[in-house]
Amino acid sequence: MLLKTFIQKWFFRLFTLIVSAMFASGGIASPAKDAPIAPQSDPDMVFIAFGDPQISNYMFKRYPIFQAACEDFHNNNGSFDALLMAGDIAENGLAEEYQIVYDGISGLDCRYIVSQGNHDIRLRSYKQSTERFTSFVNALNGDDAMKSFRHTEIVNGYKFIILGADKTAFEANCITDEQLEWLDNEIAAENGKPVFVVVHQPLNYTHGLPDTWNSPVETAGGIGKSSEKLEKVLNKHDNVVFITGHLHSGFGEYSYEKIGNFHSVNLPSLCCNNDFGDYNEHGIGYVVEVSPEKAVFRARDFMQGKWVADCDFSIVFDVKG
């Protein structure tokens, strides 16, 4: 178990007792199995992507949603190569919250690609948050590859670059010039091959911000002070897909936009309420099929085990002759 102290284990047992009582009185139905996760073509790679599960040890209504989505993942084990979560894994960054997530998604035959969100780090020291988060991700992957919030993964030849906070912040993200230089070099090393850059918060003024954050502060909801510099780095390169969460927006007009030379995708929350979308149900995300020519984002309701085909979209890459 990820839990280490007696108090953590006690709270976890209490949580499981409460959740068991909830299920005994009637919970969310299991997802259907008649619309399996199966590629439409013959892609090089398939990955599941969603944001903000925000599992809590006291917000009990989120757990059945999460559990139903996990059942869909396990029902389709072997049909995807990676599972990507774009931050806010745990509501308060507690060990017992990570244990709940681990118990739900561990054991899948895939690579786990996980970025840190503001909820994962904002209530404790940077050192403790880093150690707890990297231990969680490494336990999922069965290795010690993740040393810090900044991280890279290669899946079937495609690079995922995970950005992370360089210091604790409550809502925005702190990405230093040094990390931006590292990002620039990591993208450049791929020589134009499609690259997926993952961070929790979107760029300022994108994906409907500030309206989608419902704040009078114009920059609220975005990544913060590093936004312009990050945008410049992303725009230097071809075939970059920038993947974020944080906004809790459903499938719709704010899911995808082209920003200069790169593509920006904002993922819905898995377990929190989603707004500003054509489809705002709980338990939603994408199954992404990647080939050298394009990435197809297939919208899926994991909680119900069904496709939401009207909300699909594709990103076409600039393939050099």
Side-chain angles (χ1 to χ4, degrees), residues 29-43:
S30 293
K33 296 183 181 180
D34 55 355
I37 297 174
Q40 292 180 317
S41 56
D42 186 24

Side-chain angles (χ1 to χ4, degrees), residues 113-147:
I113 299 167
V114 191
S115 69
Q116 144 271 321
N118 55 296
H119 277 265
D120 296 307
I121 69 170
R122 66 186 185 180
L123 297 180
R124 53 195 38 82
S125 74
Y126 186 82
K127 182 177 184 292
Q128 184 185 43
S129 296
T130 304
E131 290 175 351
R132 184 169 290 174
F133 192 86
T134 56
S135 295
F136 160 70
V137 178
N138 288 335
L140 287 170
N141 281 318
D143 57 33
D144 59 352
M146 191 176 196
K147 307 294 187 184

Side-chain angles (χ1 to χ4, degrees), residues 28 31 48-53 61-70 72-73 250-251 268-274 279-287 299-308:
I28 292 172
I48 285 172
F50 57 85
D52 305 66
K61 290 183 178 180
R62 294 178 186 175
Y63 181 76
I65 299 165
F66 176 71
Q67 202 62 12
C70 289
D72 193 39
F73 305 153
F251 298 142
S269 168
L270 188 72
C271 300
C272 302
N273 292 336
N274 288 302
Y279 191 93
N280 293 329
E281 300 296 327
H282 292 106
I284 60 176
Y286 294 97
V287 177
R300 187 168 176 90
D301 187 324
F302 299 111
M303 193 176 76
Q304 299 186 54
K306 70 177 186 178
W307 298 106
V308 190

